């Protein structure tokens, strides 16, 4: 490899890396990236497709005791920020490509997180109602009875009531 070729390759690589870092920095600043590190519910409404959910939360019974992360992210530090990072990545790809359902829908993974958070905050009452911890009751005879008990299925509008 000639010295001139190596020099051009380094310059080209520097331009590409610099461009990528610049674009990423601009996107992070434009999207108010640091706000996603907080528990401020307004950060979720940075994205316009979350405005309906944010407005719903402001009218919800849980508004005075829980913010978005309390219901949609695990309590543990690593789990919380891993979930936020994963969701942030998926949201940025979806919104950049325009490939998302409107109104947005909760994913299966996030439904599990939310279900777990319901159960953690309301542990005493859940133990009394569902001693099998979300498992289908043993000996259930009908398909509906064989489904696991889910907080979200019956209380879907608790966090985000509809108008």
């Amino acid at each position: 490899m000639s010295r001139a070729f190596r020099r051009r390759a380094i310059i080209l690589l520097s331009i590409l890396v610099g461009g990528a870092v610049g674009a990423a920095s601009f996107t992070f600043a434009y999207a108010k990236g640091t706000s996603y590190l907080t528990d401020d519910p307004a950060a979720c409404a940075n994205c316009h497709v979350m405005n309906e959910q944010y407005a719903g939360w402001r009218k919800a019974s849980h508004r005075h005791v829980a913010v978005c992360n309390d219901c949609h992210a695990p309590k543990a530090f690593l789990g919380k920020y891993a979930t936020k990072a994963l969701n942030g990545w998926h949201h940025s790809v979806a919104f950049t490509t325009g490939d998302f359902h409107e109104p947005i829908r909760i994913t299966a993974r996030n439904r599990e997180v939310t279900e777990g958070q319901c159960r953690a905050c309301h542990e005493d009452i859940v133990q009394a109602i569902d001693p099998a911890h979300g498992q289908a009751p043993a000996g259930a005879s009908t398909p509906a009875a064989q489904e696991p008990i889910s907080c979200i299925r019956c209380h879907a509008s608790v966090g985000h009531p509809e108008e």
Side-chain angles (χ1 to χ4, degrees):
M1 184 180 317
S2 73
R3 181 175 252 181
F5 178 78
R6 189 178 314 155
R7 189 174 190 183
R8 284 187 207 127
I10 290 172
I11 290 172
L12 180 62
L13 183 62
S14 298
I15 290 170
L16 291 175
V17 170
V21 169
S25 298
F26 173 79
T27 302
F28 188 78
Y30 181 77
K32 302 173 188 168
T34 56
S35 69
Y36 296 105
L37 302 175
T38 70
D39 284 328
D40 182 1
C44 296
N46 283 349
C47 181
H48 74 277
V49 297
M50 295 298 288
N51 287 340
E52 185 178 324
Q53 286 72 26
Y54 180 65
W57 170 79
R58 292 178 60 141
K59 298 174 190 169
S61 61
H62 280 63
R63 177 179 181 222
H64 300 291
V65 294
V67 295
C68 306
N69 287 331
D70 291 325
C71 298
H72 297 288
K75 288 272 186 248
F77 181 84
L78 286 178
K80 175 181 177 177
Y81 285 100
T83 296
K84 288 171 73 93
L86 183 63
N87 287 339
W89 170 255
H90 288 302
H91 292 170
S92 64
V93 169
F95 301 143
T96 300
T97 62
D99 184 23
F100 61 93
H101 186 274
E102 212 166 341
I104 63 168
R105 294 181 182 168
I106 192 167
T107 65
R109 181 187 182 280
N110 288 332
R111 182 176 294 277
E112 284 181 32
V113 168
T114 303
E115 179 75 20
Q117 293 305 94
C118 292
R119 290 174 177 275
C121 287
H122 300 283
E123 186 176 6
D124 293 341
I125 194 165
V126 169
Q127 285 290 334
I129 296 170
D130 182 22
H133 306 292
Q135 301 300 312
S141 57
T142 65
Q146 293 172 355
E147 290 183 23
I149 294 174
S150 166
C151 303
I152 301 168
R153 185 177 58 202
C154 297
H155 303 282
S157 64
V158 166
H160 308 282
E162 295 177 12
E163 301 278 330

